[in-house]
């Protein structure tokens, strides 16, 4: 086992990795940018090294700085967490060249699975079902023709993408050109490559992923699946483990595909194989995330297995201490991602947390976070503040516990998506388990229609009130009532008063 590792990440995932290392007696080295000096992972680690200014390119994405920090501290391994350099084959190679163990898959596996177009071809070759799409990068000149061949709606995806970034739905030829332009810009900025490809878009499908572990002695296991269908703009916000949408046969089929892929590429460490499942039960391979997944915690809650601990043991050369038959899943677990963003328009929110009330934590309620009262939420990094996870004997127990925990969680000083998460968890579709990737859009559309209907009702009430007031004004004018009290009938004054009565404007003195 390692005696010391460096964590090439920040925020909640850095804190989460440090906790497992403390449990195992492994010393930790934190790296941080100048903007993160007051972040808890810096204080939690045994050592901390500043690796650059706030810009990720100059700090958390700086391979040379991370390697030099590990060498200076005498770290034997580097855990990349998720995001940043976690799936960067060049970083894994740099670690190997420096004699430092990369706590993740091999550079060769990262390279093989790094381009989604190549991964589609590989998956098809070994017998995994894939969604109809292009098997090469799409040029601007070819775009309309290739889109017509696939048919609309289709999904434009970044070939080097991940985490839902650079994905856009196209529903008509008129939308194609502007979305391609936007997609290339996003892909180039996020991944350094503007290469795009097309896939047929599956309406009302479910996003199901399988957690796999593999040691360096070629032992492979899966730890069941997670349902990640609650998404906003292809970004997951609520996950559930296991899924109630899979029967025994579907579960056997989808987990079998995941293990088959992992074995074929000689994968090691933790990884997640992602699929789409149609309402009819058809399975389609999407991609493989070659790292620790954000939502790994709910799998830990139902299996009792610390996935980060397994990553460390695998990377240090140990064999998995169990087989697939030795993994027993109990109950259900749900995760809600807490983001610093406006709950209505979902724009990022920054500021100082002035008040923080956390739910009561236990073995059934877990919160992976790094924030504290007084923490300054900045604009340099992802808006994720933490992950609230709850376990239950059954799915409804887990849902009710998550709903209660969300009610207890109070964060002031910055806006968060907690109010919207409450609506999702309380919705009829989520409660029944009969939902798909359209759940969030359905809820948002329902809210929009309700707001429009309410506004229409207010407008009608206002129009009626103005008509009544106008009639009363004419009667008063004929009877001399206005003049007797020193007033003169005025349409704009009447409208203004009615507007105020209808709650549409500020109070005025007339």
């Amino acid at each position: 086992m390692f005696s010391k590792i460096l964590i090439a990440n920040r925020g909640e995932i850095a804190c989460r990795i440090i906790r497992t290392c403390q449990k195992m007696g492994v010393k930790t080295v934190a790296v941080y940018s100048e903007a993160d000096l007051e972040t808890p992972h810096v204080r939690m680690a045994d050592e901390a090294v500043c690796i650059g200014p706030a810009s990720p390119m100059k700090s958390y994405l700086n391979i040379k700085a991370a390697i030099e920090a590990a060498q200076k501290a005498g770290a034997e391994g580097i855990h990349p967490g998720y995001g940043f350099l976690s799936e960067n084959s060049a970083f894994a190679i740099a670690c190997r060249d420096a004699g430092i163990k990369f706590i993740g898959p091999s550079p060769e596996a990262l390279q093989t699975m790094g381009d989604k177009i190549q991964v589609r071809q590989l998956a098809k070759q070994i017998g995994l079902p894939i969604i109809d799409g292009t098997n090469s990068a799409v040029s601007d000149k070819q775009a309309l023709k290739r889109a017509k061949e696939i048919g609309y709606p289709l999904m434009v995806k970044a070939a080097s993408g991940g985490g839902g970034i650079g994905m856009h739905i196209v529903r008509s030829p008129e939308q194609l050109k502007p979305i391609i332009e936007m997609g290339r810009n996003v892909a180039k900025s996020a991944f350094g490559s503007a290469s795009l490809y097309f896939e047929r878009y599956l309406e009302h499908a479910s996003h199901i992923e399988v957690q796999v572990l593999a040691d360096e002695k070629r032992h492979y296991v899966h730890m069941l699946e997670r349902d990640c269908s609650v998404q906003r703009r292809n970004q997951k916000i609520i996950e559930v483990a296991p899924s109630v949408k899979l029967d025994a046969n579907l579960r056997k089929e989808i987990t079998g595909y995941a293990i088959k892929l992992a074995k074929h590429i000689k994968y090691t460490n933790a990884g997640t194989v992602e699929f789409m499942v149609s309402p009819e039960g058809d399975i389609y391979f999407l991609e493989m995330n070659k790292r620790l997944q954000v939502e790994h915690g709910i799998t830990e809650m139902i299996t009792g297995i610390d996935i980060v601990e397994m990553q460390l043991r695998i990377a240090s050369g140990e064999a998995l201490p169990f087989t697939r038959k030795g993994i027993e899943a109990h109950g259900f677990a749900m995760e809600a991602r807490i983001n610093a963003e406006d709950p209505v328009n979902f724009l990022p929110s920054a500021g100082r947390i002035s008040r923080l009330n956390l739910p009561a934590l236990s073995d059934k309620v877990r919160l992976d976070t790094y924030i504290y009262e007084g923490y300054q939420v900045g604009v340099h990094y992802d808006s994720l503040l933490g992950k609230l996870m709850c376990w239950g004997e059954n799915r409804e127990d887990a849902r009710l516990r998550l709903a209660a925990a969300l009610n207890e969680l109070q964060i002031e000083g910055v806006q968060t998506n907690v109010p919207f998460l409450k609506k999702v968890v309380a919705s009829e579709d989520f409660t029944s388990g009969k939902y798909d990737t359209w759940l969030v859009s359905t809820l948002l559309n329902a809210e929009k229609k309700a707001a429009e209907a309410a506004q229409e009702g207010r407008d009608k009430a206002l129009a009626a009130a103005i008509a009544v007031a106008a009639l009363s004004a004419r009667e008063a004018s004929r009877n001399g009532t206005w003049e007797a009290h020193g007033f003169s009938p005025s349409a704009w004054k009447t409208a203004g008063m009615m507007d105020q009565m209808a709650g549409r404007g500020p109070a005025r003195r007339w």
Side-chain angles (χ1 to χ4, degrees):
M1 179 51 59
F2 304 105
S3 60
K4 182 191 291 186
I5 69 165
L6 180 138
I7 301 164
N9 217 298
R10 65 176 299 278
E12 68 85 15
I13 189 58
C15 295
R16 186 263 170 276
I17 295 167
I18 290 171
R19 291 189 186 99
T20 286
C21 288
Q22 290 173 338
K23 179 183 70 175
M24 298 176 67
V26 177
K27 292 184 177 181
T28 54
V29 181
V31 295
Y32 64 96
S33 71
E34 292 171 359
D36 272 344
L37 177 61
E38 300 300 322
T39 304
H41 80 280
V42 176
R43 299 192 299 272
M44 289 175 63
D46 296 287
E47 303 172 43
V49 180
C50 182
I51 57 171
S55 168
M57 292 301 299
K58 296 179 179 179
S59 54
Y60 296 109
L61 290 170
N62 188 331
I63 293 176
K64 182 180 178 182
I67 296 294
E68 288 179 350
Q71 291 175 323
K72 184 176 180 180
E76 302 152 312
I78 293 181
H79 196 306
Y82 54 72
F84 292 132
L85 296 169
S86 62
E87 296 181 273
N88 189 308
S89 59
F91 183 45
I93 291 171
C95 288
R96 184 166 64 187
D97 291 345
I100 299 169
K101 183 68 176 182
F102 180 77
I103 302 173
S106 68
E108 290 75 21
L110 289 172
Q111 289 173 330
T112 298
M113 304 299 285
D115 186 295
K116 290 186 178 181
I117 299 173
Q118 294 180 7
V119 173
R120 277 175 53 85
Q121 296 171 346
L122 184 151
K124 186 176 182 179
Q125 289 171 5
I126 64 173
L128 270 63
I130 63 172
I131 302 171
D132 291 340
T134 58
N135 292 318
S136 60
V138 176
S139 69
D140 292 344
K141 188 176 180 180
Q142 299 171 316
L144 274 172
K145 178 183 177 182
R146 302 185 78 172
K148 184 178 180 181
E149 292 171 350
I150 296 169
Y152 297 92
L154 60 83
M155 185 77 82
V156 174
K157 291 187 172 184
S160 301
I165 299 172
M167 296 169 57
H168 305 279
I169 300 172
V170 180
R171 297 191 174 277
S172 68
E174 293 73 24
Q175 294 179 339
L176 189 62
K177 184 178 178 180
I179 286 180
I180 285 178
E181 290 177 356
M182 178 173 60
R184 291 200 192 284
N185 290 334
V186 171
K188 181 67 176 177
S189 174
F191 311 113
S193 170
S195 180
L196 301 176
Y197 70 104
F198 297 164
E199 275 185 353
R200 179 168 60 90
Y201 179 68
L202 295 180
E203 301 270 13
H204 299 294
S206 292
H207 190 141
I208 308 293
E209 63 185 25
V210 179
Q211 176 70 61
V212 297
L213 287 174
D215 61 31
E216 296 180 356
K217 305 180 189 304
R218 301 291 183 260
H219 300 138
Y220 298 85
V221 300
H222 72 81
M223 300 175 68
L224 295 177
E225 78 286 344
R226 297 182 287 256
D227 189 328
C228 306
S229 301
V230 184
Q231 302 178 8
R232 186 189 65 80
R233 297 176 187 167
N234 303 305
Q235 302 287 314
K236 303 166 187 174
I237 58 174
I238 294 179
E239 300 96 354
V240 183
S243 173
V244 293
K245 302 170 186 174
L246 304 184
D247 58 24
N249 290 332
L250 268 180
R251 179 169 288 114
K252 183 177 181 180
E253 185 177 4
I254 200 169
T255 55
Y257 286 142
I259 294 297
K260 184 176 185 178
L261 178 64
K263 286 183 175 180
H264 181 79
I265 63 173
K266 298 180 173 60
Y267 192 83
T268 55
N269 217 269
T272 302
V273 187
E274 305 203 1
F275 301 88
M276 296 299 287
V277 179
S278 73
E280 297 75 30
D282 297 320
I283 299 170
Y284 299 95
F285 167 76
L286 274 184
E287 62 182 347
M288 184 174 192
N289 288 319
K290 308 159 290 294
R291 51 171 167 78
L292 184 68
Q293 199 80 326
V294 176
E295 57 272 20
H296 72 278
I298 54 175
T299 296
E300 294 179 327
M301 293 187 88
I302 65 170
T303 62
I305 296 171
D306 185 328
I307 295 176
V308 172
E309 178 181 344
M310 291 302 105
Q311 286 189 287
L312 294 173
R313 294 195 179 283
I314 290 169
S316 66
E318 295 183 21
L320 286 169
F322 44 73
T323 62
R324 170 60 209 141
K325 292 182 179 179
I327 301 174
E328 296 184 11
H330 301 282
F332 284 77
M334 295 182 179
E335 172 184 289
R337 301 191 189 191
I338 313 301
N339 294 321
E341 59 186 23
D342 187 300
V344 177
N345 58 29
F346 302 105
L347 292 175
S349 176
R352 188 172 298 278
I353 295 176
S354 58
R355 181 174 178 270
L356 179 63
N357 183 71
L358 302 180
L361 304 181
S362 65
D363 59 341
K364 298 177 182 178
V365 180
R366 168 176 164 180
L367 178 63
D368 285 8
T369 188
Y370 63 100
I371 61 173
Y372 55 86
E373 200 165 288
Y375 179 74
Q376 181 71 37
V377 179
V379 297
H380 303 291
Y381 312 113
D382 186 86
S383 64
L384 182 67
L385 299 179
K387 305 174 305 189
L388 181 59
M389 294 165 273
C390 293
W391 180 90
E393 289 283 353
N394 53 55
R395 190 181 185 279
E396 180 63 2
D397 286 344
R399 189 191 69 84
L400 291 173
R401 189 165 283 126
L402 180 58
L406 284 169
N407 282 328
E408 287 186 66
L409 179 62
Q410 296 178 16
I411 303 173
E412 296 179 6
V414 295
Q415 292 182 301
T416 73
N417 65 335
V418 171
F420 184 70
L421 292 171
K422 291 179 183 179
K423 294 177 185 178
V424 175
V425 172
S427 68
E428 182 179 347
D429 288 343
F430 184 79
T431 299
S432 68
K434 297 177 182 178
Y435 62 94
D436 52 45
T437 52
W438 274 83
L439 174 61
V440 170
S441 295
T442 300
L443 290 177
L444 290 175
N445 288 337
E447 285 188 359
K448 182 180 179 182
K449 289 180 180 178
E452 290 173 347
Q455 185 61 57
E456 183 180 356
R458 288 193 292 269
D459 290 343
K460 288 181 178 178
L462 176 61
I466 290 174
V468 171
L471 179 61
S472 298
R474 286 196 295 271
E475 291 295 322
S477 179
R478 281 197 293 268
N479 298 333
T481 307
W482 286 96
E483 289 78 359
H485 290 85
F487 290 102
S488 176
S490 167
W492 70 265
K493 285 185 177 181
T494 303
M497 287 188 287
M498 294 305 102
D499 206 36
Q500 179 184 333
M501 291 168 59
R504 291 166 55 88
R508 297 181 176 92
R509 294 186 180 275
W510 301 99

